[in-house]
Amino acid sequence: MIEDNCSLTTEFILTGFTDHPELRTLLFLVLLTIYLITMVGNLGLVALIFTEQRRLHTPMYIFLGNLALMDSCCSCAITPKMLQNFYSKDRIISLYDCMAQFYFLCLAETADSFLLAAMAYDCFVAICNPLQYHTMMSKKHCIQMVAGVYIAGNMTSMIHVGFLFRLTFHRSHQINHFFCDVLPLYRLSCVDPFINELMIFIFGGLIQIFTVVTVLISYVFIPLTVFTMKSNKGRGKALSTCASHFLSVSIFCGSLLFMYIQPNPVKEEDKDIPIAIFYTLVIPLLNPCIYSLRNKEVINVMKKIMKMS
């Protein structure tokens, strides 16, 4: 790599989705609608769980509230800048804003992975060991698990962002993406990003393996217990809860594994934007729907609040 073509870049240019003026307004309105629904859905779910602690006080709802909070964090980190760039002439983002954007995205995705694993474990204990549930999933244990999720998320984010500062970039500094993701940054790097890729592969792989293994082990034992239940009502409720959670885990982990945990992900530039749209925009939009519309307790609380208003 020629040294003259490299610089200590202080800003980047985000190319966004498209340069076609005829599509700009339509895309802007669609993405703005997705953003507003995502924020209302997730923050509404957080507020509902916080205010209705008597009825929504179980560990599952504690984890669900934090999952909704992290989905809101993911949307806030990316979407406002993305929407601004539709009508911005320069589409510039500073180096520190770029790092902050990736930091909060990494925090949200890491926390989501561990929260989904915690929710799978909670389902396992509730269905397979109901007599020991209040001991194994006490309020103290839940708080410790949530604290561990945020500590792990922050540590992972700091490590990846720290390694990004070892890179220098081409003078063109044009990122072919709608936000500052690591893979497009690696392609701009004048320094070999092998160490960065290795860290992504190791940390991302370990986190996803932990999540997937926890979920799979839980869902090996849960069906065996569910189908021995005599009550059709209890069986239906357990299967409904587990189906919602398993769907969310499959979509989330599948998209991340396809994006990052594969050989030579830096070379797969054509896959960046389609998959990134899925795990940064679609999944935060779907999670409140998956968990709220299929959950009778949440629906009943919402009906109660609507009647009171």
Side-chain angles (χ1 to χ4, degrees):
M1 196 72 66
I2 301 174
E3 191 173 348
D4 290 343
N5 290 332
C6 299
S7 65
L8 294 175
T9 302
T10 58
E11 57 186 28
F12 298 97
I13 298 172
L14 293 169
T15 60
F17 287 99
T18 180
D19 291 322
H20 297 290
E22 63 273 12
L23 295 176
R24 186 182 303 165
T25 302
L26 176 61
L27 281 173
F28 177 84
L29 292 174
V30 169
L31 294 170
L32 177 61
T33 302
I34 290 174
Y35 176 62
L36 293 176
I37 295 173
T38 299
M39 295 306 294
V40 170
N42 283 292
L43 293 180
L45 190 56
V46 171
L48 195 68
I49 292 170
F50 180 78
T51 55
E52 291 291 328
Q53 293 185 14
R54 291 183 179 180
R55 300 186 65 177
L56 305 177
H57 67 285
T58 62
M60 174 61 75
Y61 292 109
I62 294 174
F63 298 139
L64 180 55
N66 283 278
L67 183 70
L69 186 63
M70 287 295 97
D71 284 342
S72 301
C73 174
C74 178
S75 294
C76 285
I78 292 169
T79 312
K81 183 63 178 177
M82 176 187 66
L83 293 173
Q84 178 190 341
N85 284 343
F86 273 100
Y87 294 100
S88 174
K89 293 182 179 179
D90 48 35
R91 299 180 182 179
I92 288 175
I93 184 171
S94 71
L95 174 64
Y96 292 102
D97 286 345
C98 188
M99 297 301 176
Q101 199 175 58
F102 175 69
Y103 177 89
F104 286 109
L105 173 67
C106 185
L107 167 62
E109 302 301 346
T110 303
D112 276 4
S113 295
F114 285 120
L115 286 167
L116 289 170
M119 291 168 75
Y121 178 71
D122 177 73
C123 285
F124 164 75
V125 176
I127 294 171
C128 300
N129 296 287
L131 298 179
Q132 300 178 13
Y133 182 78
H134 293 291
T135 302
M136 298 175 68
M137 296 300 296
S138 65
K139 186 176 181 179
K140 180 182 177 181
H141 288 161
C142 287
I143 292 172
Q144 290 174 341
M145 290 171 74
V146 171
V149 164
Y150 286 112
I151 291 170
N154 277 287
M155 287 182 64
T156 304
S157 299
M158 287 189 288
I159 289 170
H160 290 316
V161 170
F163 274 98
L164 280 176
F165 279 105
R166 66 178 283 270
L167 305 180
T168 55
F169 302 95
H170 293 292
R171 290 187 185 277
S172 62
H173 56 266
Q174 180 173 292
I175 299 176
N176 296 319
H177 215 302
F178 60 92
F179 71 96
C180 282
D181 201 4
V182 285
L183 300 185
L185 287 174
Y186 293 167
R187 297 185 191 107
L188 289 178
S189 176
C190 294
V191 178
D192 186 356
F194 173 75
I195 296 176
N196 300 66
E197 291 179 63
L198 185 62
M199 291 296 103
I200 287 282
F201 186 82
I202 292 173
F203 279 89
L206 289 175
I207 291 168
Q208 293 305 308
I209 288 170
F210 173 80
T211 303
V212 171
V213 169
T214 302
V215 171
L216 289 179
I217 291 175
S218 298
Y219 282 93
V220 165
F221 290 100
I222 287 173
L224 297 176
T225 304
V226 167
F227 290 115
T228 60
M229 292 180 177
K230 296 180 180 180
S231 169
N232 290 331
K233 184 178 179 180
R235 190 185 301 126
K237 182 179 179 181
L239 287 175
S240 177
T241 303
C242 294
S244 300
H245 179 258
F246 193 76
L247 175 63
S248 182
V249 172
S250 301
I251 295 171
F252 178 77
C253 291
S255 60
L256 287 184
L257 286 169
F258 194 70
M259 183 72 176
Y260 297 106
I261 316 304
Q262 58 173 313
N264 299 319
V266 175
K267 296 180 180 179
E268 303 291 335
E269 185 172 2
D270 58 321
K271 297 178 182 177
D272 282 358
I273 291 180
I275 301 174
I277 289 172
F278 210 70
Y279 70 80
T280 60
L281 300 176
V282 177
I283 291 175
L285 173 69
L286 289 179
N287 275 341
C289 301
I290 291 172
Y291 287 107
S292 299
L293 298 180
R294 292 178 58 88
N295 191 303
K296 291 183 179 180
E297 290 180 343
V298 173
I299 293 173
N300 290 334
V301 171
M302 290 173 66
K303 288 180 179 178
K304 178 184 173 183
I305 293 173
M306 291 173 67
K307 287 180 181 179
M308 290 175 63
S309 60

